[in-house]
Amino acid sequence: MEVVQVLHMNKGNGDTSYAKNSTVQRKIISFGKTIIEEALLELSSNYDIDSMGIADLGCSMGPNTLSVISEIMDIVRATSGHLRRPVPEFRLFFNDLYSNDFNYLFMLLPAFYKMLKEEKGIGSQCFISGVPGSFYGRLLPSNSLHFVYSFSSLHWLSQVPVGLESYAVKHLNKGKVYISKSSPQSVVNAYSSQFQADFSQFIKSRSQELVPGGRMVLSFLGRKSIDPTTEDGCYQWELLAEALMSLVKEGLIEEEKVASFNAPYYAPCAEELKVEILKEGSFIINRLEAFEVDWDGGAVADTHTEQGKMMVGERVAKTIRAVVESMLESHFRMGQDTMDALFIKFAEIVGNHLSKTRTKYINFVISLVRKG
């Protein structure tokens, strides 16, 4: 599976689209707002910037994308007014993989430009560009950015870890799609090594694109424990594997297909992040915070009732489907009916699980300063 070509959030505005099922991501963004504001206040106070370069890495599409940049512009405008400086022009770069639905995002821009002009008075000071490509490499010219942010993206790896590819001679993680309690140590090591290589390359690339003193805020899923098999780091994948194996028993998909699928995902712990950042050496860690996030984004439902279990399970299933369907479709070559059956089963499994224990995601928010 070529992650760069395959991975994208579900497109459009339909029932299973990312635009309609990104409540969890919106919740995650809310946790990072205070840290973003702090970073921008420090940046604007310490530097008189005429033209501010800002990049959203892993922007996806939909309302979350433009709401974040709108708030960033509000913070910069307010700080400029407080410091009695002119508001800088904004060079905004929206990045995601080639298969992202940039068209859907760009169709939202006319209304966005109109809002900037009528409500903020800065329509002519905003220049927006799409930058397709992997952020695990250079995207923009040297010293072209002042502020970089990325939400809910860096837990995705650049590729399936070496040795776990679908074409591998021996499948090492049978019946599972990610690290689990039953995974051999070689699987855990492969995932850890891939994350180290990817995150190091990400940091190195941004160090070249950010000006000295530039700020970067990163927010993505991780885990509290050093042990990568703990529930907060991997259990949603454990339940998805269970749903897939139920389809195997029904004869809807082949067991070999499950054995050869491994998600290009990794939930790091705080220690792993610190090691790679310090090793690369271009950034100072200003803040590193961890927040708990409900799998369903905080829906109010009594999971001890059948109706409540069903509602929460379906909500989580739609959120996960909007993110992983492109990968599953590419690997399993499922038809629509089989995909629907998978996520109906997954919703049932998740509802039963959450009725017994409220497993939560762990989300890190890291604020970094480019050394000058």
Side-chain angles (χ1 to χ4, degrees), residues 135-369:
F135 51 46
Y136 292 121
R138 288 289 301 276
L139 293 165
L140 292 159
S142 298
N143 297 317
S144 60
L145 298 174
H146 297 86
F147 185 69
V148 170
Y149 65 99
S150 178
F151 283 95
S152 300
S153 294
L154 275 162
H155 42 252
W156 294 111
L157 301 172
S158 67
Q159 64 177 63
V160 174
V162 175
L164 302 181
E165 304 93 341
S166 60
Y167 54 78
V169 175
K170 184 179 180 181
H171 301 312
L172 303 176
N173 204 26
K174 290 183 179 181
K176 305 297 179 183
V177 298
Y178 180 60
I179 297 169
S180 76
K181 293 286 187 185
S182 63
S183 297
Q185 188 61 41
S186 58
V187 169
V188 176
N189 293 345
Y191 270 102
S192 177
S193 296
Q194 188 63 53
F195 169 77
Q196 291 168 16
D198 283 348
F199 192 63
S200 175
Q201 189 59 43
F202 176 90
I203 295 295
K204 180 180 179 181
S205 298
R206 304 296 82 77
S207 73
Q208 295 169 309
E209 294 165 350
L210 274 161
V211 299
R215 260 57 173 184
M216 182 159 62
V217 175
L218 310 175
S219 176
F220 51 98
L221 299 181
R223 64 182 195 273
K224 286 183 178 178
S225 172
I226 294 175
D227 179 5
T229 68
T230 52
E231 281 195 4
D232 62 9
C234 67
Y235 209 66
Q236 71 274 29
W237 296 106
E238 188 81 8
L239 300 186
L240 183 59
E242 185 180 333
L244 285 165
M245 290 305 294
S246 74
L247 264 60
V248 170
K249 292 176 183 176
E250 294 175 30
L252 295 175
I253 58 175
E254 298 173 11
E255 186 170 4
E256 175 69 13
K257 281 289 189 181
V258 179
S260 62
F261 180 81
N262 287 285
Y265 170 95
Y266 188 73
C269 64
E271 288 75 12
E272 289 173 292
L273 300 174
K274 292 174 185 176
V275 165
E276 294 308 318
I277 292 167
L278 294 174
K279 188 192 301 182
E280 196 280 331
S282 297
F283 288 92
I284 298 167
I285 300 174
N286 206 26
R287 285 182 68 174
L288 200 168
E289 306 282 347
F291 303 91
E292 291 187 340
V293 186
D294 288 314
W295 279 13
D296 59 4
V300 179
D302 183 359
T303 53
H304 295 99
T305 67
E306 287 303 315
Q307 185 179 8
K309 281 196 293 186
M310 183 185 301
M311 190 185 89
V312 170
E314 288 177 353
R315 189 178 175 113
V316 174
K318 282 187 175 182
T319 300
I320 298 291
R321 180 172 183 171
V323 174
V324 306
E325 184 167 1
S326 63
M327 292 186 295
L328 297 176
E329 189 175 46
S330 172
H331 180 82
F332 290 95
R333 304 297 179 186
M334 292 184 191
Q336 193 65 46
D337 289 346
T338 306
M339 191 70 74
D340 290 343
L342 171 64
F343 282 99
I344 289 171
K345 186 64 180 177
F346 182 61
E348 178 188 329
I349 293 170
V350 169
N352 287 331
H353 170 72
L354 292 180
S355 70
K356 300 168 188 171
T357 176
R358 294 293 286 183
T359 307
K360 297 176 184 286
Y361 295 123
I362 302 301
N363 189 80
F364 288 121
V365 183
I366 313 172
S367 180
L368 302 172
V369 182

